[in-house]
Amino acid sequence: MDSIQGSLSNNRLSKNEARQVLRRIINFEIPVSDLINNLESGNYWLLFNTFWILRDLSREAKQIIFPYQQQIYDCMIKNSTDEGVVRNGISIFEDQEISEKLEDAIFDFCFEKLTNNSSAIAIKAFSMTVCYKIALKYPDLFSELKIVIEDNIDTLGQVSPAIISRGRKILKLIDRHSNRWYP
């Protein structure tokens, strides 16, 4: 992993380079644990590229990173001011079944991003989906989530079609599930 770690730490990977590393992990040429160990690094590019590859890995081979959710979450918390790490980290959880022991913490983290006016649009959009996925198991969360999503649409809808699109989609799903849970 040293040569891979070296190439991940120098600058932003190209899409092709990231895909090559991803393929090597999926083909078990590189242990995913070596990639996870990069989360301890203080090197900006190493961390950024690692999260980018983990995000893509979560979409293509979910089961490979499921056991590492705690480390991914811990690194997001530790680097919560880095938009790239947070955006890619939340995106990872958007595509994953979330470990039951992390549901509360991840919901709170994402919900805070939804209520924080300084959160980036992509972070808010991904957070809507993650919060919704968790609320499916805990329907009492729907009412509060609905209010926050509506507020985001009202305050950011003029500048962000992504917030309107994602928000409306999640609100429809919430209404559908709310009616199912509370006839």
Side-chain angles (χ1 to χ4, degrees):
M1 184 67 176
D2 290 335
S3 63
I4 295 298
Q5 189 174 22
S7 68
L8 293 180
S9 63
N10 294 331
N11 52 31
R12 184 176 178 162
L13 293 179
S14 70
K15 198 172 195 172
N16 240 3
E17 291 168 326
R19 299 287 308 158
Q20 288 173 1
V21 173
L22 179 66
R23 285 287 137 231
R24 291 183 64 197
I25 293 169
I26 290 173
N27 293 331
F28 301 104
E29 296 170 26
I30 299 173
V32 71
S33 59
D34 286 355
L35 190 65
I36 294 296
N37 289 338
N38 293 341
L39 299 178
E40 299 295 320
S41 169
N43 179 301
Y44 174 79
W45 286 116
L46 180 59
L47 199 55
F48 181 90
N49 290 326
T50 297
F51 264 89
W52 186 18
I53 293 165
L54 286 171
R55 182 204 63 200
D56 289 348
L57 189 59
S58 75
R59 294 174 178 164
E60 293 194 30
K62 295 173 175 38
Q63 72 284 0
I64 292 177
I65 64 169
F66 183 84
Y68 301 102
Q69 287 184 354
Q70 183 70 55
Q71 291 97 315
I72 293 167
Y73 172 75
D74 290 345
C75 188
M76 273 187 359
I77 295 298
K78 182 179 172 185
N79 296 280
S80 63
T81 59
D82 184 323
E83 281 188 19
V85 168
V86 172
R87 180 183 60 251
N88 284 324
I90 293 172
S91 180
I92 290 167
F93 290 108
E94 184 182 45
D95 295 316
Q96 287 277 303
E97 179 181 327
I98 298 169
S99 167
E100 199 170 298
K101 69 180 183 174
L102 286 174
E103 288 172 338
D104 186 45
I106 291 173
F107 184 89
D108 288 346
F109 183 80
C110 291
F111 196 82
E112 187 277 327
K113 296 301 177 189
L114 281 171
T115 59
N116 186 334
N117 291 333
S118 65
S119 293
I121 299 296
I123 290 171
K124 286 179 174 279
F126 293 145
S127 291
M128 286 181 196
T129 302
V130 172
C131 286
Y132 169 75
K133 282 177 56 175
I134 294 170
L136 283 171
K137 291 174 74 175
Y138 309 99
D140 291 346
L141 297 173
F142 280 147
S143 59
E144 192 173 2
L145 180 58
K146 185 175 180 177
I147 291 167
V148 171
I149 291 173
E150 289 169 342
D151 184 55
N152 273 276
I153 290 172
D154 290 343
T155 58
L156 296 170
Q158 296 296 324
V159 294
S160 174
I163 290 294
I164 292 174
S165 175
R166 182 72 59 102
R168 286 181 180 164
K169 176 184 171 187
I170 299 295
L171 288 173
K172 284 180 186 176
L173 292 170
I174 288 172
D175 286 343
R176 188 177 307 146
H177 287 284
S178 293
N179 291 336
R180 184 181 309 156
W181 294 107
Y182 306 108

